[in-house]
Amino acid sequence: EAQVTQNPRYLITVTGKKLTVTCSQNMNHEYMSWYRQDPGLGLRQIYYSMNVEVTDKGDVPEGYKVSRKEKRNFPLILESPSPNQTSLYFCASSSTSGGIGKQFFGPGTRLTVL
Amino acid sequence: AQRVTQPEKLLSVFKGAPVELKCNYSYSGSPELFWYVQYSRQRLQLLLRHISRESIKGFTADLNKGETSFHLKKPFAQEEDSAMYYCALSGGGANNLFFGTGTRLTVIP
């Protein structure tokens, strides 16, 4: 089944403890992206990647890192999480042919930073 | 700068009534507009895109460049339409998809 997977789905951690949220897609998509969803603010893009080893900042990149060593994987790294990073995170992917607007989303990761 | 505005956070309509979810945008070039939907306990998914000019689940949306709007419409709302709806914009050739803040639609039986 073509899909985007994220792990973990739920995570509670403490301030300053490094964590990684994994994202994987099996559709051979070039484009991958991370968003955070907060009440009243909608979805805001954190980072995106046009292809392997090509990443760029979105609207709210501060406090996050990403890497794209393989086409299928796009992990989101929080080196030193803070409470304001408590949010619902979504990974998405799309083919770049025809534009990146048709994105396939993962199930979301709910992160709580205490 | 790109901006997508969905003025209604919440919208309630009765089953069988027409529904319109508003979306306005600002973008200096030629935008691509999309509607995404998130049903309860399901993933966010693409509902429709303006370049396809299609009707999905009875929903349509017309891009009005003069009014910079891309409102989502359905003539007769169904209970299964209850969901969160997001309008999104991509600038032609751009690498970003900008989302509005979303409208939660509730269809009352």
Side-chain angles (χ1 to χ4, degrees):
Chain A
E1 181 189 355
Q3 62 178 340
V4 178
T5 57
Q6 294 178 227
N7 281 293
R9 296 288 312 281
Y10 302 90
L11 180 60
I12 300 174
T13 189
V14 295
T15 298
K17 187 176 181 182
K18 180 179 179 179
L19 66 92
T20 299
V21 184
T22 64
C23 173
S24 183
Q25 50 93 8
N26 61 2
M27 295 169 280
N28 201 37
H29 284 164
E30 298 85 7
Y31 182 92
M32 297 186 75
S33 182
W34 276 103
Y35 299 89
R36 59 178 290 173
Q37 184 183 43
D38 301 289
L41 297 177
L43 278 86
R44 294 179 293 167
Q45 189 177 46
I46 302 170
Y47 269 95
Y48 65 93
S49 169
M50 295 298 293
N51 215 322
V52 176
E53 303 290 4
V54 181
T55 62
D56 209 345
K57 297 177 180 178
D59 294 323
V60 287
E62 293 77 22
Y64 305 94
K65 284 175 58 176
V66 293
S67 69
R68 187 90 182 272
K69 292 183 170 52
E70 304 164 284
K71 197 172 187 179
R72 63 183 293 126
N73 297 322
F74 190 45
L76 179 70
I77 303 154
L78 284 72
E79 295 269 2
S80 182
S82 61
N84 64 11
Q85 292 178 298
T86 292
S87 188
L88 180 58
Y89 291 87
F90 289 100
C91 181
S93 73
S94 73
S95 170
T96 52
S97 63
I100 55 90
K102 184 177 180 180
Q103 296 192 9
F104 293 81
F105 281 79
T109 295
R110 187 168 291 283
L111 172 66
T112 301
V113 183
L114 303 174
Chain B
Q2 299 93 329
R3 188 181 182 90
V4 178
T5 302
Q6 294 180 251
E8 303 140 328
K9 281 189 168 52
L10 303 170
L11 182 64
S12 294
V13 300
F14 284 101
K15 178 181 173 182
V19 61
E20 180 180 67
L21 292 91
K22 291 184 170 51
C23 173
N24 290 91
Y25 68 90
S26 62
Y27 182 68
S28 56
S30 293
E32 289 187 61
L33 275 296
F34 308 85
W35 277 99
Y36 277 79
V37 62
Q38 189 173 28
Y39 300 104
S40 179
R41 287 187 289 279
Q42 292 189 29
R43 300 176 186 217
L44 193 64
Q45 57 186 286
L46 179 66
L47 180 62
L48 56 80
R49 52 197 304 184
H50 90 270
I51 60 172
S52 300
R53 303 185 72 80
E54 58 198 343
S55 173
I56 304 292
K57 299 185 179 184
F59 284 98
T60 58
D62 290 318
L63 178 61
N64 186 322
K65 292 189 177 181
E67 296 182 359
T68 60
S69 68
F70 188 57
H71 304 327
L72 184 67
K73 300 177 184 179
K74 185 170 183 177
F76 307 104
Q78 302 299 314
E79 290 179 65
E80 56 265 28
D81 297 328
S82 294
M84 191 74 173
Y85 291 81
Y86 289 97
C87 183
L89 175 152
S90 176
N95 303 327
N96 311 79
L97 192 59
F98 293 91
F99 285 85
T101 52
T103 297
R104 182 168 296 281
L105 174 67
T106 300
V107 180
I108 304 164

